[in-house]
């Protein structure tokens, strides 16, 4: 047991920081104040990610055969911490490197790997995730979108909702029912240009481009769009969610925002107050706890240990960390939310509210902890 | 980073847990506010466990793991000051048990029975032998022996060098965090067992989501306490020590209240062991200035650090 970064890991972090210092433009903070799914950030990501790829910093944690460098989950997260801390210049493409690519690697055919992994590893792919439906949010198994077998493939009918990045995505990682029950869930890698797909933006408080409705009307999906076997979708979704739930190092931006708040309060002579310092300290400690609980999961990943409820523990801790820092800002630096303060703080606040809802509601994480870690009896 | 015990740590852990095996069983009948275990204390001392931090190949992390595991027992053994604080101040081998204080005139935890006192006073660490010192035992529900020096100003002390005050505060915080994390884990484990057995409305109360979610949150908080304490022990960073102590003191209120809530009236009795952990936690909650002082220390070195 030991908790220090190795010299190689520290050097890797410095390499990422140098890259960011060199490549982020002067107006990046303005761009980043829009959501990862906005047109501005998405377009930025399509210029930025190929540069990251060329520098070997887009998918270093992927195996060499898929364009990576075979680095460990630790490098994956060092990279993620530095990116998220800066407001995520990879835009929606963080999805691809965190969970989408690994899911295709594990379950995809040779042709799917050729087509999709090379595009993702080049920094040129925008995906959306078709999981939630109007009647299937936390209760994902209640989904109604159907994929009926037809000659040469499937005919898909139904709708998805809260779909991030859908209006600009080229592909959808889509869950649909090929038969009843969890055993009837299948995954399709579907081009969004397929006839019969309609996308509606949903205006939101978290930013443009972040949530949509997606309608599927007699959409034909060729058989080679199916990821894994028919009916393997529940297993694939769980695999993907494990990486998604502990995927974004949200504590890293929360920590940076806390630094900004503290620096501002200090500059204004307000940081000597014991109450302010205590609240700041509490927020800081909660961020650090989330960081350690995430690192615990990474350690398990690095050792190829089985997925466990530690993922849910880490996810819940991260939700608390983001919210605590956002509340601290609202209490002590409300001007940041009134249009004259730092944009980063405002950006963080918009994102903080999503963490407890996306990738399975926070309450679902608590259910999983109660069941799988504490082994509490079921109702 | 590595979150699993290495070979050497596993050997120590096995030896410790073997020694603790006879002390897992709860005391029978009505307990005191704490349950001493002099025989276990003697065995640990004879086996040199309190010198772990200074042994070749071992260090503060191993001593913190010792403090954590010992705190999970329903018996009280003074570990934090002896295994962590004194050796890491360069004062290994002091007569123990050792008490820590930041106010020589106040109520001091672990003072009755202690043979050495380490004081944080005027920004430096001072060491005092308690041989012959007159100690007044205080009555407290908080799960440690508390005492008061009858003549605090007459106690001769030896002052340690520059920087000793900061070092004492740091290792005291690590010890507090490691002990607190162990107490929290033991109290949580006991409560999880209890809610699986206790039935109301025809089913175990642990099957109600109202209780499950709160226990799941407790599990998350307790796990965070443990990793922060162990990280601080490993790094020896003042900032991480302050963060660990702050987090443990801050979250223990929430966890302790929930665990008592789920244990109902049986948790209020002294025939049930919950208080042997939770009332020690209450004693630690305000120690060394409580969350206000830990936050002040943590924020003092906050700015400009890496992510």
């Amino acid at each position: 047991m030991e908790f220090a970064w190795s010299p190689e890991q520290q050097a890797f972090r410095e390499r990422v920081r140098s890259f960011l210092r060199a490549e982020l433009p002067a107006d990046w903070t303005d761009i980043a104040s829009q959501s990862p799914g906005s047109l501005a950030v998405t377009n930025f990501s399509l210029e930025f990610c190929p540069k990251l790829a060329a520098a070997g910093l887009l998918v270093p944690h992927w195996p060499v055969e898929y364009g990576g460098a075979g680095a460990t989950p630790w490098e994956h997260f060092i990279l993620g911490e530095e990116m998220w801390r800066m407001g995520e210049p990879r835009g929606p493409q963080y999805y691809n490197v965190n969970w989408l690519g690994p899911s295709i690697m594990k379950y995809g055919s040779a042709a799917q790997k050729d087509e999709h992994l090379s595009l993702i590893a080049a920094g040129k792919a925008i995906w959306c995730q078709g999981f939630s439906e109007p009647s299937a949010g936390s209760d994902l198994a209640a989904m109604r979108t159907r994929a009926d077998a037809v000659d040469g493939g499937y005919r898909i009918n139904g709708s998805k909702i809260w779909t991030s990045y859908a209006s600009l995505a080229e592909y959808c990682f889509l869950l649909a029912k090929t038969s009843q029950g969890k055993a009837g869930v299948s995954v399709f890698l579907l081009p969004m240009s397929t006839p019969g797909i309609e996308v509606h933006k949903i205006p939101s408080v978290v930013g443009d481009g972040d949530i949509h409705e997606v309608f599927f009307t007699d959409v034909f999906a060729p058989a080679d769009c199916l990821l894994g076997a028919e009916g393997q979708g529940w297993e694939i979704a769980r695999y993907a969610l494990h990486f998604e739930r502990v995927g974004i190092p949200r504590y890293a931006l929360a920590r940076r925002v806390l630094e900004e708040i503290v620096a501002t309060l200090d500059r204004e002579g307000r940081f000597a107050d014991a109450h302010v310092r205590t609240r700041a300290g509490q927020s800081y400690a909660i961020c650090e706890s989330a960081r350690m609980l995430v690192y615990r999961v990474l350690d398990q990943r690095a050792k190829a240990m089985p997925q466990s409820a530690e993922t849910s523990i880490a996810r819940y801790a991260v939700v608390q960390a983001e919210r605590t820092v956002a509340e601290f800002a609202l209490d002590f630096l409300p001007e940041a939310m009134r249009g004259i303060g730092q944009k980063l703080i405002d950006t963080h606040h918009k994102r903080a509210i999503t963490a407890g809802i996306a990738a399975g509601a926070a309450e679902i994480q608590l259910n999983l902890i109660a069941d799988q870690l504490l082994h509490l009896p079921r109702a | 980073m590595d979150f699993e015990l290495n070979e050497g740590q596993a050997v120590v852990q096995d030896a410790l847990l073997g020694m603790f095996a006879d002390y897992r069983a709860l005391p029978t009948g009505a307990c005191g506010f704490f349950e001493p275990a002099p025989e276990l204390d003697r065995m640990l001392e004879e086996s040199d466990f309190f010198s772990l931090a200074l042994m070749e190949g071992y260090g503060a992390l191993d001593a913190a793991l010792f403090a954590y595991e010992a705190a999970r027992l329903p018996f009280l053994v003074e570990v934090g000051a002896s295994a962590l604080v004194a050796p890491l101040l360069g004062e290994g081998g002091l007569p123990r048990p050792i008490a820590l204080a930041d106010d020589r005139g106040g109520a001091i935890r672990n003072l009755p029975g202690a043979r050495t006192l380490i004081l944080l006073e005027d920004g430096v660490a001072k060491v005092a032998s308690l041989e012959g010192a007159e100690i007044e035992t205080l009555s407290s529900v908080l799960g440690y022996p508390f005492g008061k020096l009858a003549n605090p100003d007459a106690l001769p002390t030896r002052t340690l060098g520059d920087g000793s005050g900061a070092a004492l505060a740091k290792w005291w915080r690590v010890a507090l965090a490691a002990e607190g994390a162990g107490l929290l884990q033991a109290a949580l484990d006991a409560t999880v067992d209890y809610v699986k057995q206790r039935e109301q409305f025809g089913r175990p109360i642990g099957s109600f989501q109202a209780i499950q979610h709160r226990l799941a949150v407790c599990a998350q908080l307790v796990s965070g306490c443990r990793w922060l304490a162990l990280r601080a022990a490993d790094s020896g960073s003042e900032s991480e020590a302050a963060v660990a102590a702050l987090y443990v003191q801050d979250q223990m209120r929430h966890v302790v209240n929930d665990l008592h809530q789920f244990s109902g009236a049986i948790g209020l009795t002294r025939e049930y062991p919950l208080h042997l952990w939770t009332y020690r936690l209450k004693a630690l909650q305000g120690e060394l200035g409580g969350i206000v002082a830990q936050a002040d220390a943590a924020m003092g070195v906050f700015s400009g650090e890496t992510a």
Side-chain angles (χ1 to χ4, degrees), chain B residues 99-129:
Chain B
L100 304 173
D102 54 1
D103 173 10
R104 67 163 74 194
I108 299 173
R109 178 167 69 90
N110 283 331
L111 188 65
R115 295 169 64 205
T116 302
L117 176 67
I118 300 180
L119 273 166
L120 180 56
E121 200 170 64
D122 306 323
V124 291
K126 299 177 183 177
V127 177
S129 166

Side-chain angles (χ1 to χ4, degrees), chain A residues 270-294:
Chain A
R270 292 197 275 157
F271 198 59
D273 180 86
H275 181 61
V276 178
R277 286 175 81 83
T278 303
R279 282 283 304 277
Q282 289 171 302
S283 306
Y284 176 30
I286 288 171
C287 287
E288 288 302 292
S289 162
R291 177 197 300 277
M292 291 306 287
L293 292 168
V294 164

Side-chain angles (χ1 to χ4, degrees), chain A residues 27-254:
Chain A
D27 62 347
W28 164 245
T29 305
D30 289 338
I31 300 171
S33 67
Q34 301 176 60
S35 63
S38 64
L39 182 62
V41 175
T42 302
N43 283 342
F44 182 84
S45 85
L46 289 167
E47 289 178 18
F48 181 79
C49 288
K51 290 182 196 170
L52 265 179
L57 292 175
L58 186 62
V59 290
H61 58 295
W62 284 16
V64 175
E65 61 184 302
Y66 301 125
T72 70
W74 295 108
E75 279 78 15
H76 174 207
F77 257 68
I78 290 170
L79 181 68
E81 284 179 355
E82 296 304 320
M83 294 291 157
W84 196 254
R85 181 176 161 82
M86 296 310 294
E88 193 48 274
R90 296 173 300 182
Q93 294 196 59
Y94 74 85
Y95 250 36
N96 307 356
V97 302
N98 283 359
W99 61 266
L100 234 147
S103 300
I104 294 172
M105 264 176 237
K106 184 169 170 71
Y107 294 101
S109 65
Q112 286 168 335
K113 290 177 188 176
D114 277 351
E115 180 185 356
H116 296 299
L117 297 181
S118 55
L119 270 176
I120 291 174
K124 295 174 181 169
I126 306 295
W127 284 75
C128 63
Q129 180 197 59
F131 279 23
S132 293
E133 296 186 8
S135 300
S138 292
D139 184 10
L140 191 57
M143 72 181 73
R144 292 177 183 168
T145 296
R146 287 190 346 259
D148 298 318
V150 294
D151 271 355
Y154 298 85
R155 188 175 56 243
I156 298 173
N157 281 284
S159 66
K160 296 288 171 178
I161 196 166
W162 321 129
T163 316
S164 298
Y165 322 132
S167 54
L168 298 171
E170 297 154 298
Y171 293 95
C172 182
F173 191 95
L174 178 72
L175 294 186
K177 287 270 182 80
T178 42
S179 61
Q180 291 306 304
K182 284 181 183 173
V185 177
S186 298
V187 175
F188 297 89
L189 307 178
L190 192 65
M192 288 294 283
S193 57
T194 311
I197 300 178
E198 201 177 322
V199 178
H200 293 179
K201 276 189 187 177
I202 301 175
S204 80
V205 294
V206 297
D208 278 347
D210 266 3
I211 46 180
H212 305 82
E213 285 178 290
V214 185
F215 298 94
F216 300 84
T217 308
D218 289 332
V219 173
F220 176 71
D224 61 7
C225 287
L226 182 69
L227 180 66
E230 196 178 283
Q232 204 177 5
W234 195 254
E235 175 191 329
I236 298 173
R238 286 183 58 186
Y239 183 79
L241 283 168
H242 171 68
F243 284 99
E244 191 188 6
R245 284 173 179 158
V246 177
I248 302 175
R250 291 172 177 269
Y251 53 82
L253 182 60

Side-chain angles (χ1 to χ4, degrees), chain B residues 151-186:
Chain B
N151 301 297
D153 295 332
L155 186 73
T157 58
R158 174 168 55 87
T159 301
L160 304 186
D162 286 349
S164 63
L168 170 54
K170 175 176 76 179
W171 293 114
W172 188 343
R173 287 183 177 119
V174 172
L176 187 161
E179 183 164 346
L183 295 168
L184 283 164
Q185 187 65 58

Side-chain angles (χ1 to χ4, degrees), chain A residues 4 23 45 49 53 87 106 127 183 196 233-234 249 293 298 309 312-313 319 323 325 337:
Chain A
E23 295 297 338
S45 85
C49 288
K106 184 169 170 71
W127 284 75
W234 195 254
L293 292 168
L298 298 186
S312 297
I313 286 205
V319 170
R323 288 182 181 167
V325 171
M337 304 293 297

Side-chain angles (χ1 to χ4, degrees), chain A residues 1-3 277 303 367 377, chain B residues 2 9 212-213 234 296:
Chain A
M1 188 178 284
E2 53 93 14
F3 304 101
R277 286 175 81 83
K303 292 171 178 156
N367 285 349
Chain B
D2 185 352
Q9 289 164 338
Q212 290 190 344
H213 279 193
D234 187 44
D296 188 54

